Amino acid sequence: MEEKVKAEALQIIGAFDVLPKLVVFDLDYTLWPFYCECRSKREMPSLYPHAKGILLALKEKGIDVAIASRSPTADIATAFLNKLSLSSMFVAQEIYSSWTHKTDHFQRIHSRTGVPFNSMLFFDDENRNIQAVSKMGVTSILVDNGVHLGSLREGLTQFSRNWNASQKNKQKWLSKYSNKPDTSNSAA
């Protein structure tokens, strides 16, 4: 299953010209089907069926991944990531309780990685987090039953649209305020 999902995810990613530099995931009900605070560290957790294949495909394509979780039990979340052999995949793990709907998490991720908000893609199961993080310029996708190939496709499609719109606005601004056109077109 994991290899099949990874192969499909690689095909989906390969269909896009513009890709995010960083994909950020929530944990509870996004990568796995439970709340950490309702579980014990002794348990063996499981991911949603497509989650690991998607993570592996993103890494293979050179796209960094990070975590933004408001879990009040960071110790359990971290233990589960270790048990699932996932910890080393993430360039940033911001796991702590917060009232800011994850804007603090994203400020820290940005500080740690240097990736601009408009070069990030975010998956979460809570609309309030999606709304708050979207306002920062991050392409944010609401997931119902965890992250899956359909949500990956939706996220990359939306990221492309947002990126292309921002480039058009940049071109308009440059042509209005400068004499020479901008020829850069990378997500850097």
Side-chain angles (χ1 to χ4, degrees), residues 68-99:
S69 171
R70 292 190 311 128
S71 173
T73 52
D75 56 331
I76 295 174
T78 304
F80 284 178
L81 288 168
N82 287 330
K83 282 185 178 191
L84 293 162
S85 305
L86 294 178
S87 279
S88 64
M89 292 184 81
F90 299 100
V91 295
Q93 293 183 38
E94 295 299 329
I95 307 171
Y96 56 88
S97 194
S98 149
W99 297 104

Side-chain angles (χ1 to χ4, degrees), residues 48-73:
Y48 278 109
H50 291 181
K52 190 153 191 186
I54 289 170
L55 289 169
L56 292 170
L58 289 167
K59 292 303 277 184
E60 188 169 306
K61 286 286 188 178
I63 299 168
D64 285 333
V65 291
I67 291 168
S69 171
R70 292 190 311 128
S71 173
T73 52

Side-chain angles (χ1 to χ4, degrees), residues 21-38:
K21 291 263 182 269
L22 180 67
V23 179
V24 183
F25 296 90
D26 172 41
L27 291 174
D28 299 348
Y29 290 97
T30 301
L31 284 184
W32 51 49
F34 52 81
Y35 289 115
C36 282
E37 60 264 37
C38 300

Side-chain angles (χ1 to χ4, degrees), residues 123-161:
F123 293 96
D124 196 296
D125 66 312
E126 289 189 47
N127 197 44
R128 60 188 176 174
N129 296 330
I130 296 295
Q131 297 301 321
V133 173
S134 289
K135 288 183 181 136
M136 299 173 82
V138 177
T139 299
S140 304
I141 302 297
L142 185 67
V143 296
D144 261 349
N145 271 323
V147 71
H148 52 82
L149 291 168
S151 52
L152 175 67
R153 184 179 289 113
E154 179 191 349
L156 292 173
T157 301
Q158 195 57 52
F159 180 85
S160 267
R161 282 190 195 130

